[in-house]
CSV table of all heavy atoms in Angstrom, one decimal:
chain,number,residue,atom,x,y,z
A,9,PHE,N,81.0,90.4,114.8
A,9,PHE,CA,80.1,91.5,115.2
A,9,PHE,C,80.4,92.9,114.4
A,9,PHE,O,79.5,93.6,114.3
A,9,PHE,CB,80.1,91.7,116.8
A,9,PHE,CG,79.3,90.7,117.5
A,9,PHE,CD1,79.9,89.5,117.9
A,9,PHE,CD2,78.1,90.9,117.8
A,9,PHE,CE1,79.2,88.5,118.4
A,9,PHE,CE2,77.2,90.0,118.5
A,9,PHE,CZ,77.8,88.9,118.8
A,10,ALA,N,81.6,93.0,114.0
A,10,ALA,CA,81.9,94.1,113.0
A,10,ALA,C,81.2,94.0,111.8
A,10,ALA,O,81.0,95.0,111.1
A,10,ALA,CB,83.4,94.2,112.8
A,11,ALA,N,80.5,92.9,111.5
A,11,ALA,CA,79.7,92.8,110.3
A,11,ALA,C,78.4,93.4,110.5
A,11,ALA,O,77.6,93.6,109.5
A,11,ALA,CB,79.5,91.3,109.9
A,12,ALA,N,78.0,93.7,111.7
A,12,ALA,CA,76.7,94.3,112.0
A,12,ALA,C,76.7,95.6,112.9
A,12,ALA,O,75.8,96.3,112.8
A,12,ALA,CB,75.8,93.2,112.7
A,13,PHE,N,77.8,95.8,113.6
A,13,PHE,CA,77.8,96.9,114.6
A,13,PHE,C,79.2,97.6,114.5
A,13,PHE,O,80.2,97.1,114.0
A,13,PHE,CB,77.8,96.4,116.0
A,13,PHE,CG,76.5,95.6,116.4
A,13,PHE,CD1,76.5,94.2,116.2
A,13,PHE,CD2,75.4,96.2,116.7
A,13,PHE,CE1,75.4,93.5,116.6
A,13,PHE,CE2,74.3,95.6,117.2
A,13,PHE,CZ,74.3,94.1,117.1
A,14,ASN,N,79.2,98.9,114.9
A,14,ASN,CA,80.4,99.6,115.3
A,14,ASN,C,80.9,98.8,116.6
A,14,ASN,O,80.0,98.6,117.5
A,14,ASN,CB,80.2,101.0,115.7
A,14,ASN,CG,79.8,101.8,114.4
A,14,ASN,OD1,80.4,101.7,113.4
A,14,ASN,ND2,78.7,102.6,114.7
A,15,VAL,N,82.1,98.4,116.6
A,15,VAL,CA,82.6,97.6,117.8
A,15,VAL,C,83.9,98.2,118.4
A,15,VAL,O,84.7,98.9,117.6
A,15,VAL,CB,82.7,96.1,117.4
A,15,VAL,CG1,81.5,95.5,117.0
A,15,VAL,CG2,83.8,96.0,116.3
A,16,VAL,N,84.1,97.9,119.6
A,16,VAL,CA,85.4,98.1,120.3
A,16,VAL,C,85.8,96.9,121.0
A,16,VAL,O,84.9,96.3,121.8
A,16,VAL,CB,85.3,99.4,121.2
A,16,VAL,CG1,86.7,99.6,121.9
A,16,VAL,CG2,84.7,100.5,120.6
A,17,ASP,N,87.1,96.5,121.0
A,17,ASP,CA,87.5,95.3,121.8
A,17,ASP,C,88.8,95.7,122.6
A,17,ASP,O,89.4,96.7,122.3
A,17,ASP,CB,87.6,94.0,121.0
A,17,ASP,CG,88.8,93.9,120.2
A,17,ASP,OD1,89.9,94.6,120.3
A,17,ASP,OD2,88.9,92.9,119.2
A,18,SER,N,89.2,94.8,123.5
A,18,SER,CA,90.4,95.0,124.2
A,18,SER,C,91.4,93.8,123.9
A,18,SER,O,92.1,93.4,124.8
A,18,SER,CB,90.1,95.1,125.7
A,18,SER,OG,89.5,93.8,126.2
A,19,PHE,N,91.5,93.4,122.7
A,19,PHE,CA,92.3,92.2,122.3
A,19,PHE,C,93.8,92.6,122.7
A,19,PHE,O,94.3,93.6,122.3
A,19,PHE,CB,92.4,92.1,120.7
A,19,PHE,CG,93.1,90.9,120.3
A,19,PHE,CD1,92.6,89.6,120.4
A,19,PHE,CD2,94.4,91.0,119.7
A,19,PHE,CE1,93.3,88.5,119.9
A,19,PHE,CE2,95.0,90.0,119.2
A,19,PHE,CZ,94.5,88.7,119.3
A,20,ASP,N,94.4,91.8,123.5
A,20,ASP,CA,95.7,92.1,124.1
A,20,ASP,C,96.8,91.1,123.9
A,20,ASP,O,97.9,91.2,124.5
A,20,ASP,CB,95.5,92.5,125.6
A,20,ASP,CG,95.2,91.2,126.4
A,20,ASP,OD1,94.9,90.1,125.8
A,20,ASP,OD2,95.1,91.3,127.6
A,21,THR,N,96.8,90.2,122.8
A,21,THR,CA,97.8,89.3,122.5
A,21,THR,C,98.7,90.1,121.5
A,21,THR,O,98.4,90.0,120.3
A,21,THR,CB,97.3,87.9,122.0
A,21,THR,OG1,96.4,87.4,122.9
A,21,THR,CG2,98.4,87.0,121.7
A,22,HIS,N,99.7,90.7,122.0
A,22,HIS,CA,100.5,91.7,121.1
A,22,HIS,C,100.9,91.1,119.8
A,22,HIS,O,100.7,91.7,118.8
A,22,HIS,CB,101.6,92.2,121.9
A,22,HIS,CG,101.3,93.1,123.0
A,22,HIS,ND1,101.3,94.5,122.9
A,22,HIS,CD2,100.9,92.9,124.3
A,22,HIS,CE1,101.0,95.0,124.1
A,22,HIS,NE2,100.7,94.1,124.9
A,23,ALA,N,101.5,89.8,119.9
A,23,ALA,CA,102.0,89.2,118.7
A,23,ALA,C,101.0,89.0,117.6
A,23,ALA,O,101.4,88.9,116.5
A,23,ALA,CB,102.7,87.9,119.1
A,24,ASN,N,99.7,88.8,118.1
A,24,ASN,CA,98.6,88.5,117.0
A,24,ASN,C,97.8,89.7,116.7
A,24,ASN,O,96.9,89.5,115.8
A,24,ASN,CB,97.7,87.5,117.7
A,24,ASN,CG,98.4,86.1,117.9
A,24,ASN,OD1,99.5,85.9,117.4
A,24,ASN,ND2,97.9,85.3,118.8
A,25,ILE,N,98.2,90.9,117.1
A,25,ILE,CA,97.4,92.1,116.7
A,25,ILE,C,97.4,92.2,115.2
A,25,ILE,O,96.4,92.7,114.6
A,25,ILE,CB,97.9,93.3,117.4
A,25,ILE,CG1,97.5,93.3,118.9
A,25,ILE,CG2,97.4,94.6,116.8
A,25,ILE,CD1,98.1,94.4,119.8
A,26,PRO,N,98.5,92.1,114.4
A,26,PRO,CA,98.4,92.4,112.9
A,26,PRO,C,97.3,91.5,112.3
A,26,PRO,O,96.6,91.9,111.4
A,26,PRO,CB,99.9,92.2,112.5
A,26,PRO,CG,100.7,92.5,113.7
A,26,PRO,CD,99.8,92.0,114.9
A,27,ALA,N,97.3,90.3,112.7
A,27,ALA,CA,96.4,89.3,112.0
A,27,ALA,C,95.0,89.6,112.4
A,27,ALA,O,94.0,89.6,111.6
A,27,ALA,CB,96.7,87.9,112.3
A,28,HIS,N,94.8,89.9,113.7
A,28,HIS,CA,93.5,90.3,114.2
A,28,HIS,C,93.0,91.6,113.5
A,28,HIS,O,91.9,91.7,113.1
A,28,HIS,CB,93.5,90.6,115.7
A,28,HIS,CG,92.2,90.9,116.3
A,28,HIS,ND1,91.2,89.9,116.3
A,28,HIS,CD2,91.7,91.9,117.1
A,28,HIS,CE1,90.1,90.4,117.0
A,28,HIS,NE2,90.5,91.5,117.4
A,29,PHE,N,93.9,92.5,113.2
A,29,PHE,CA,93.5,93.8,112.5
A,29,PHE,C,93.0,93.5,111.2
A,29,PHE,O,92.0,93.9,110.7
A,29,PHE,CB,94.7,94.7,112.5
A,29,PHE,CG,94.4,96.0,111.8
A,29,PHE,CD1,94.1,97.1,112.5
A,29,PHE,CD2,94.5,96.1,110.4
A,29,PHE,CE1,93.8,98.4,111.8
A,29,PHE,CE2,94.2,97.3,109.8
A,29,PHE,CZ,93.9,98.4,110.4
A,30,ASP,N,93.8,92.6,110.4
A,30,ASP,CA,93.3,92.3,109.0
A,30,ASP,C,92.0,91.7,109.0
A,30,ASP,O,91.2,91.9,108.1
A,30,ASP,CB,94.4,91.4,108.4
A,30,ASP,CG,95.7,92.1,108.2
A,30,ASP,OD1,95.7,93.4,108.2
A,30,ASP,OD2,96.7,91.4,108.0
A,31,ALA,N,91.7,90.8,109.9
A,31,ALA,CA,90.4,90.0,109.8
A,31,ALA,C,89.3,91.0,110.2
A,31,ALA,O,88.2,90.9,109.5
A,31,ALA,CB,90.5,88.8,110.9
A,32,VAL,N,89.5,91.8,111.2
A,32,VAL,CA,88.5,92.7,111.6
A,32,VAL,C,88.3,93.9,110.5
A,32,VAL,O,87.1,94.2,110.2
A,32,VAL,CB,88.7,93.4,112.9
A,32,VAL,CG1,87.8,94.5,113.2
A,32,VAL,CG2,88.8,92.4,114.1
A,33,ASP,N,89.4,94.3,109.9
A,33,ASP,CA,89.3,95.3,108.9
A,33,ASP,C,88.4,94.9,107.7
A,33,ASP,O,87.6,95.6,107.2
A,33,ASP,CB,90.7,95.7,108.4
A,33,ASP,CG,90.7,96.9,107.6
A,33,ASP,OD1,90.1,97.9,107.9
A,33,ASP,OD2,91.4,97.0,106.5
A,34,ALA,N,88.6,93.6,107.3
A,34,ALA,CA,87.8,93.2,106.2
A,34,ALA,C,86.3,93.1,106.4
A,34,ALA,O,85.5,93.6,105.6
A,34,ALA,CB,88.3,91.7,105.8
A,35,ALA,N,85.9,92.7,107.7
A,35,ALA,CA,84.6,92.7,108.1
A,35,ALA,C,84.0,94.1,108.2
A,35,ALA,O,82.8,94.3,107.7
A,35,ALA,CB,84.4,91.9,109.3
A,36,ALA,N,84.7,95.0,108.8
A,36,ALA,CA,84.2,96.2,109.1
A,36,ALA,C,84.0,97.1,107.8
A,36,ALA,O,83.1,97.9,107.6
A,36,ALA,CB,85.1,97.0,110.0
A,37,LYS,N,85.0,96.9,106.8
A,37,LYS,CA,84.9,97.6,105.5
A,37,LYS,C,83.7,97.1,104.7
A,37,LYS,O,83.0,97.9,104.1
A,37,LYS,CB,86.2,97.5,104.7
A,37,LYS,CG,87.3,98.4,105.2
A,37,LYS,CD,88.6,98.2,104.5
A,37,LYS,CE,89.6,99.3,104.9
A,37,LYS,NZ,90.9,99.0,104.3
A,38,LYS,N,83.4,95.9,104.8
A,38,LYS,CA,82.3,95.2,104.0
A,38,LYS,C,81.0,95.7,104.6
A,38,LYS,O,80.0,96.0,103.8
A,38,LYS,CB,82.4,93.7,104.2
A,38,LYS,CG,81.4,93.0,103.3
A,38,LYS,CD,81.6,91.5,103.4
A,38,LYS,CE,80.6,90.8,102.5
A,38,LYS,NZ,80.8,89.3,102.4
A,39,SER,N,80.9,95.9,105.9
A,39,SER,CA,79.5,96.4,106.6
A,39,SER,C,79.5,97.9,106.6
A,39,SER,O,78.4,98.4,106.9
A,39,SER,CB,79.5,95.8,108.0
A,39,SER,OG,80.5,96.3,108.8
A,40,GLY,N,80.6,98.6,106.3
A,40,GLY,CA,80.6,100.1,106.5
A,40,GLY,C,80.6,100.5,108.0
A,40,GLY,O,80.3,101.7,108.2
A,41,LYS,N,81.1,99.7,108.9
A,41,LYS,CA,81.2,100.0,110.2
A,41,LYS,C,82.6,100.3,110.7
A,41,LYS,O,83.5,100.1,110.0
A,41,LYS,CB,80.6,98.9,111.2
A,41,LYS,CG,79.2,98.5,110.9
A,41,LYS,CD,78.2,99.6,111.2
A,41,LYS,CE,76.8,99.2,111.1
A,41,LYS,NZ,75.8,100.3,111.4
A,42,VAL,N,82.7,101.0,111.9
A,42,VAL,CA,84.1,101.2,112.5
A,42,VAL,C,84.4,100.2,113.5
A,42,VAL,O,83.4,99.9,114.5
A,42,VAL,CB,84.1,102.7,113.0
A,42,VAL,CG1,85.4,102.8,113.8
A,42,VAL,CG2,84.1,103.7,111.9
A,43,ALA,N,85.5,99.7,113.6
A,43,ALA,CA,85.9,98.8,114.6
A,43,ALA,C,87.2,99.2,115.2
A,43,ALA,O,88.2,99.5,114.4
A,43,ALA,CB,86.1,97.3,114.1
A,44,ILE,N,87.3,99.3,116.5
A,44,ILE,CA,88.6,99.8,117.2
A,44,ILE,C,89.1,98.6,118.0
A,44,ILE,O,88.3,98.2,118.9
A,44,ILE,CB,88.4,101.1,118.0
A,44,ILE,CG1,87.7,102.2,117.1
A,44,ILE,CG2,89.8,101.6,118.4
A,44,ILE,CD1,87.4,103.5,117.9
A,45,ILE,N,90.3,98.2,117.8
A,45,ILE,CA,90.7,97.0,118.5
A,45,ILE,C,91.9,97.4,119.4
A,45,ILE,O,92.4,98.4,119.3
A,45,ILE,CB,91.2,95.8,117.4
A,45,ILE,CG1,92.4,96.4,116.7
A,45,ILE,CG2,90.1,95.5,116.6
A,45,ILE,CD1,93.2,95.2,116.0
A,46,SER,N,92.1,96.4,120.3
A,46,SER,CA,93.3,96.5,121.2
A,46,SER,C,93.3,97.8,122.0
A,46,SER,O,94.3,98.5,122.2
A,46,SER,CB,94.6,96.3,120.4
A,46,SER,OG,94.7,95.1,119.8
A,47,VAL,N,92.1,98.1,122.7
A,47,VAL,CA,91.9,99.3,123.4
A,47,VAL,C,92.0,98.9,124.9
A,47,VAL,O,91.4,97.9,125.4
A,47,VAL,CB,90.5,99.8,123.1
A,47,VAL,CG1,90.1,101.0,124.1
A,47,VAL,CG2,90.4,100.3,121.7
A,48,GLY,N,92.7,99.6,125.7
A,48,GLY,CA,92.9,99.4,127.1
A,48,GLY,C,94.1,100.2,127.6
A,48,GLY,O,94.3,101.3,127.0
A,49,TRP,N,94.9,99.6,128.4
A,49,TRP,CA,96.1,100.4,128.9
A,49,TRP,C,97.4,99.8,128.3
A,49,TRP,O,98.3,100.5,128.1
A,49,TRP,CB,96.1,100.6,130.4
A,49,TRP,CG,96.1,99.5,131.2
A,49,TRP,CD1,94.9,98.8,131.8
A,49,TRP,CD2,97.2,98.8,131.9
A,49,TRP,NE1,95.3,97.8,132.5
A,49,TRP,CE2,96.6,97.7,132.7
A,49,TRP,CE3,98.6,99.1,131.9
A,49,TRP,CZ2,97.5,96.9,133.5
A,49,TRP,CZ3,99.3,98.2,132.6
A,49,TRP,CH2,98.8,97.2,133.4
């Protein structure tokens, strides 16, 4: 969805955040959108 929208998610598997960041970053940079991940408490 970062390929088409500005997005926000609440991804909370701490150990996998770096890999998730990299995957989302590539998609959002390609689309020119902003994606904010791992949002919550």
Side-chain angles (χ1 to χ4, degrees):
F9 282 86
F13 300 92
N14 297 311
V15 297
V16 183
D17 81 14
S18 61
F19 184 79
D20 66 357
T21 308
H22 289 264
N24 295 340
I25 287 174
H28 186 58
F29 180 95
D30 290 343
V32 175
D33 192 46
K37 281 179 175 169
K38 188 174 180 180
S39 65
K41 299 295 185 180
V42 168
I44 309 178
I45 65 162
S46 300
V47 171
W49 56 276

